Amino acid sequence: MSELNKIALNIISNGKGILAADESTGTMTKRLEAVNVKSNEENRLNFRKTLFTSESMKKCIGGVILYDETIKQTYENKTIPELINESGALPGIKVDTGAKSLAGSPDEKITEGLDGLRERLKKYYKLGARFTKWRGVYTISDKFPSKLSVHSNAHALGRYAALVQECEMVPIVEPEVLMEGKHSAKVCYEKTSEVIKKCFEELILNKVDLTGVILKPNMILDGINSKNKVNSEQIAELTLKCLKESVPQEVPGIAFLSGGQSEIEATENLNLINKTNSSKFIMTYSYGRALQQGALKHWSKDIKDSSGTQKVFNNRANLCSLAAQGKWSRDLEI
Ligand code: 5MM
């Protein structure tokens, strides 16, 4: 078993998943302002360290994705990576520098950040990171995703993953097909399959060790403005079909993004995926909003109430962990 494979399995095995706390300052500001909290460095750290010191970190969280600001912060004389290590989880870092307009198809996005990446990776490793994340975003419409967007984002993900493994870290490969649009789940299935297949084509071309990679995809859902809605059973069925057909067998696991689903939806869908998963892939969570929403709402009412906030977070993390094992049921949601 390679070192990278061990790290990947450590993060996602035994009902553990990933806490995606890598919101860039712009996104975090939107999240905080939506609950009427001022977005400054102190408040961003306060909320995040409240989550990182929660009891459920030990049992439910195998890895935390951090943002550049957070990986350099300290709390009670410990660096944030040290604090995360104490819970038994591994610190990870978002290394892309964001999605920008794609030249040649300016209404689509290309994720940037390859220039100088090798040097940044070395610095993050020294700061304690053992895995990384890069997110490519794709929209669905009559014309999109274009071949150019599918190709360019996969190319970047391939080059990113190879550099990360060279620096002895596990790359999370996140091709996110967005929920926005009127498309059906069938179209989401077709486009997501195309995107994922292209990503692995590029990873293989870049000689990436697939046993040391975690895929972070979207689930197969109807577009947010679609008139018809498939049910959870169909979401699980289409998601599993897509992944079985598109992901090479060597990949140890898949950690879904929540992508705008509510906390309960993201938990229920993951549970059904695991109940019917006949593949050898571990299927778990790498949720941002679907792990943090309730906790953030609670915290915003009194930012000094750490224990109340942790209670809300612990509950959601426990439910997600049960879903990662196919042991969740609706009556556990109170
Ligand atoms: C945590 O949110 C990340 C957003 O980062 P940006 O500020 O760069 O947009 C995001 O990449 C996240 O890791 C994934 O989309 C999963 O988060 P959700 O909320 O979709 O589960």
Side-chain angles (χ1 to χ4, degrees):
M1 200 192 272
S2 73
E3 269 315 303
L4 292 176
N5 181 240
K6 274 189 214 158
I7 297 176
L9 288 174
N10 235 315
I11 298 171
I12 55 173
S13 300
N14 305 319
K16 287 188 181 182
I18 299 168
L19 168 60
D22 60 311
E23 298 88 352
S24 52
T25 304
T27 303
M28 196 58 183
T29 299
K30 266 193 232 152
R31 304 263 189 269
L32 292 181
E33 285 177 352
V35 291
N36 300 316
V37 176
K38 191 172 183 320
S39 177
N40 54 34
E41 214 181 312
E42 191 189 344
N43 285 344
R44 291 192 290 269
L45 175 64
N46 181 339
F47 177 64
R48 285 168 164 158
K49 66 91 181 136
T50 304
L51 304 186
F52 305 160
T53 51
S54 299
E55 191 53 35
S56 58
M57 285 286 299
K58 297 183 190 141
K59 212 177 72 187
C60 309
I61 305 294
V64 180
I65 317 173
L66 299 170
Y67 181 57
D68 183 72
E69 174 183 89
T70 327
I71 201 169
K72 295 170 181 160
Q73 284 173 321
T74 55
Y75 174 65
E76 288 184 344
N77 296 323
K78 282 176 201 150
T79 67
I80 294 301
E82 281 167 356
L83 206 68
I84 291 169
N85 279 323
E86 269 180 12
S87 71
L90 288 175
I93 180 81
K94 184 230 296 289
V95 299
D96 65 65
T97 55
K100 310 280 158 58
S101 170
L102 172 64
S105 183
D107 292 332
E108 294 184 282
K109 304 264 190 220
I110 177 71
T111 303
E112 295 189 346
L114 287 172
D115 286 352
L117 180 57
R118 181 180 274 129
E119 289 66 38
R120 286 195 292 125
L121 290 171
K122 287 179 185 156
K123 285 189 194 142
Y124 285 137
Y125 188 94
K126 279 196 189 134
L127 289 169
R130 291 297 173 267
F131 72 101
T132 65
K133 194 199 87 173
W134 180 291
R135 170 171 167 256
V137 280
Y138 309 81
T139 41
I140 297 183
S141 72
D142 318 343
K143 308 180 276 191
F144 298 153
S146 67
K147 273 211 164 67
L148 178 64
S149 134
V150 173
H151 175 87
S152 317
N153 278 295
H155 170 82
L157 279 162
R159 287 194 53 206
Y160 142 82
L163 280 164
V164 170
Q165 290 197 337
E166 185 188 278
C167 293
E168 293 169 43
M169 294 184 279
V170 166
I172 294 189
V173 171
E174 181 181 6
E176 176 174 7
V177 179
L178 297 171
M179 238 199 227
E180 278 68 32
K182 293 189 283 199
H183 56 272
S184 63
K186 184 172 168 278
V187 171
C188 178
Y189 157 79
E190 286 163 5
K191 299 300 174 192
T192 304
S193 303
E194 181 189 348
V195 159
I196 294 177
K197 282 180 186 156
K198 189 73 187 166
C199 285
F200 281 107
E201 208 179 294
E202 289 289 330
L203 260 66
I204 291 166
L205 200 61
N206 281 275
K207 306 210 163 22
V208 171
D209 169 9
L210 297 183
T211 69
V213 163
I214 297 170
L215 176 70
K216 175 166 174 167
N218 48 286
M219 293 179 191
I220 304 300
L221 306 166
D222 287 300
I224 215 156
N225 298 320
S226 154
K227 286 190 200 110
N228 305 314
K229 292 280 177 243
V230 285
N231 60 32
S232 287
E233 281 76 14
Q234 291 165 308
I235 293 170
E237 191 187 323
L238 284 169
T239 303
L240 285 165
K241 183 171 155 55
C242 167
L243 296 170
K244 274 190 212 160
E245 292 165 351
S246 319
V247 183
Q249 286 301 305
E250 296 92 316
V251 174
I254 290 160
F256 293 99
L257 58 94
S258 55
Q261 298 177 76
S262 71
E263 289 174 309
I264 298 182
E265 275 164 357
T267 314
E268 177 170 22
N269 290 335
L270 178 64
N271 186 60
L272 276 167
I273 287 172
N274 275 294
K275 277 195 136 171
T276 45
N277 179 17
S278 60
S279 77
K280 63 170 256 308
F281 301 125
I282 294 171
M283 304 269 183
T284 187
Y285 47 95
S286 176
Y287 292 164
R289 285 162 287 180
L291 270 173
Q292 300 183 51
Q293 244 159 39
L296 181 63
K297 212 166 156 198
H298 184 97
W299 176 79
S300 69
K301 288 186 197 130
D302 176 4
I303 64 171
K304 292 204 175 75
D305 182 16
S306 295
S307 73
T309 305
Q310 290 182 335
K311 231 171 143 182
V312 178
F313 176 70
N314 288 336
N315 178 50
R316 181 51 48 200
N318 279 314
L319 291 165
C320 283
S321 174
L322 287 173
Q325 302 166 74
K327 293 180 182 166
W328 172 91
S329 64
R330 189 162 270 275
D331 55 4
L332 297 170
E333 295 282 349
I334 20 155

